[in-house]
């Protein structure tokens, strides 16, 4: 193993942590972390945690250190007494997924997923997501990014779905699970000009069946020369209304700025509506916008 490829996950804990538990243990009273950003709103906060605070944070000490075979570009999940970690494998042609005991780091299972030649960012960039007993992982490959559903207790592959076949398109975002569906965005070739576009897919979380696929730039506009507008960000969902939101990137054709590039998209995720899977609205951002007063804030 080359030292340059080593990456480590350090887990901190207060003295007196609980004993090891299998991955199907009941939810911990301090809360779990089953998706990137903790929840559909991407709050990145754990409201159920009350033991760690300003009065004892200085007493935190390493509980264990997990060494991955390659770079860790994602944040782990914690659920059922296990930590689920995704990383690059021993080479850039492999994505690595591991489940380890949340208390002492004991390996539960690990799996390497070959991707051939990885697209921009490496074989595995985003965090996984849990859909019941399925661990959802999105991977990059030059031949087209794909999503797999793994058995959360064994790592066995249950399903696989190719997301896009544009050469060197990829997924740097994290998949999210909502209403039994997996939602994840993808980008076109980050180095190409005028030829590729981003979009998103909605899959059945249990089977991987493709429910909807939508490009940010529609076919007619794409043929007219608009390009780019990849989705590199993770969707946030308003569960009360059934709409998802994600940001898009810059146009690949500098002479043609599409209304949906550099924008925030509003996507219908309600299977009961006629517009399910469609972009129903977008908010156009202004490039390099600086919030008034930002320059006066402490560095």
């Amino acid at each position: 193993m080359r030292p340059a490829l080593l990456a480590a996950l350090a887990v901190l804990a207060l003295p007196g942590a609980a004993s090891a538990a299998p991955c199907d243990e009941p939810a911990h009273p301090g809360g779990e972390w089953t998706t990137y950003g903790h929840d559909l709103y991407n709050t990145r906060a754990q409201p159920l945690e009350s033991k760690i605070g300003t009065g004892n944070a200085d007493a935190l000490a390493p509980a264990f250190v997990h060494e991955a075979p390659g770079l860790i570009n994602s944040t782990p999940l914690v659920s059922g007494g296990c930590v689920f970690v995704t990383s690059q494998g021993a080479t850039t042609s492999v994505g690595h997924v591991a489940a380890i005991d949340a208390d002492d780091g004991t390996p539960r299972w690990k799996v390497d997923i070959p991707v051939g030649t990885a697209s921009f960012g490496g074989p595995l960039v985003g965090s996984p997501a849990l859909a019941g007993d399925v661990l959802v992982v999105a991977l990059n490959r030059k031949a087209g990014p794909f999503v797999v559903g793994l058995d959360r207790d064994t790592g066995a592959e249950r399903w696989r779905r190719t997301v896009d076949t544009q050469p060197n398109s990829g997924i740097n975002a994290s998949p999210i699970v909502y209403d039994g569906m997996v939602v994840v965005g993808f980008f076109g070739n980050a180095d190409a000009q005028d030829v590729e576009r981003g979009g998103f897919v909605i899959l059945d979380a249990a089977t991987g069946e493709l429910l909807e696929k939508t490009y940010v730039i529609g076919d007619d506009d794409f043929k007219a020369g608009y390009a780019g507008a990849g989705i590199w960000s993770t969707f946030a969902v308003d569960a009360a209304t059934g709409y998802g939101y994600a940001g898009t990137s810059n146009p690949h054709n500098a002479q043609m700025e599409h209304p949906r590039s550099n924008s925030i998209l509003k996507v219908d995720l309600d299977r009961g509506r006629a517009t399910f899977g469609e972009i129903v609205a977008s908010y156009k951002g202004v490039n390099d916008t600086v919030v008034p007063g930002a320059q006066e804030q402490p560095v």
Side-chain angles (χ1 to χ4, degrees):
M1 187 179 300
R2 293 180 293 170
L5 291 178
L6 286 176
L9 168 71
V11 175
L12 304 180
L14 294 169
S19 59
C23 294
D24 58 357
E25 282 290 294
H28 191 279
E32 303 202 325
W33 202 281
T34 60
T35 190
Y36 176 79
H38 177 265
D39 48 54
L40 291 173
Y41 294 98
N42 195 12
T43 63
R44 309 189 188 194
Q46 177 53 273
L48 297 179
E49 170 54 43
S50 59
K51 292 185 177 180
I52 299 174
T54 56
N56 60 7
D58 60 347
L60 290 170
F64 63 84
V65 174
H66 166 74
E67 286 193 349
L71 298 175
I72 299 175
N73 289 315
S74 60
T75 54
L77 304 185
V78 182
S79 179
C82 284
V83 177
F84 299 93
V85 188
T86 56
S87 70
Q88 178 184 295
T91 70
T92 57
S93 64
V94 175
H96 184 78
V97 186
I100 56 180
D101 189 277
D103 292 319
D104 60 15
T106 302
R108 295 295 178 184
W109 55 260
K110 60 183 178 180
V111 61
D112 285 327
I113 305 174
V115 300
T117 303
S119 54
F120 187 87
L124 214 166
V125 179
S127 296
L130 276 167
D133 59 356
V134 176
L135 184 71
V136 181
V137 182
L139 297 104
N140 281 330
R141 65 177 175 185
K142 232 174 184 181
F146 61 99
V147 180
V148 297
L150 306 177
D151 187 291
R152 65 169 289 159
D153 293 325
T154 67
E157 186 172 315
R158 291 192 177 182
W159 54 260
R160 176 181 297 220
R161 176 66 58 182
T162 297
V163 167
D164 192 52
T165 56
Q166 297 177 106
N168 214 21
S169 58
I171 298 175
N172 273 199
S174 300
I176 61 101
V177 175
Y178 168 70
D179 191 26
M181 303 178 293
V182 174
V183 185
V184 65
F186 60 88
F187 59 87
N189 189 342
D191 298 319
Q193 295 293 321
D194 307 349
V195 296
E196 297 191 58
R197 50 185 170 163
F200 61 88
V201 294
I202 305 174
L203 311 176
D204 183 277
T207 66
E209 176 190 356
L210 178 64
L211 302 178
E212 292 288 342
K213 177 177 179 178
T214 301
Y215 284 109
V216 176
I217 297 173
D219 291 345
D220 290 343
D221 285 348
F222 186 57
K223 291 175 183 176
Y226 291 100
I231 298 180
W232 297 69
S233 59
T234 301
F235 269 83
V237 178
D238 182 353
T241 63
Y243 290 105
Y245 300 85
T248 64
S249 64
N250 57 292
H252 285 182
N253 185 340
Q255 284 71 47
M256 299 181 70
E257 171 84 10
H258 194 273
R260 290 177 177 172
S261 62
N262 289 315
S263 298
I264 297 174
L265 306 180
K266 180 180 181 180
V267 177
D268 192 347
L269 299 179
D270 187 334
R271 283 184 270 192
R273 289 191 288 242
T275 52
F276 170 65
E278 297 180 12
I279 300 169
V280 296
S282 61
Y283 172 77
K284 185 71 172 178
V286 180
N287 293 353
D288 301 322
T289 299
V290 177
V291 177
Q295 69 276 14
E296 301 172 5
Q297 303 304 311
V299 177

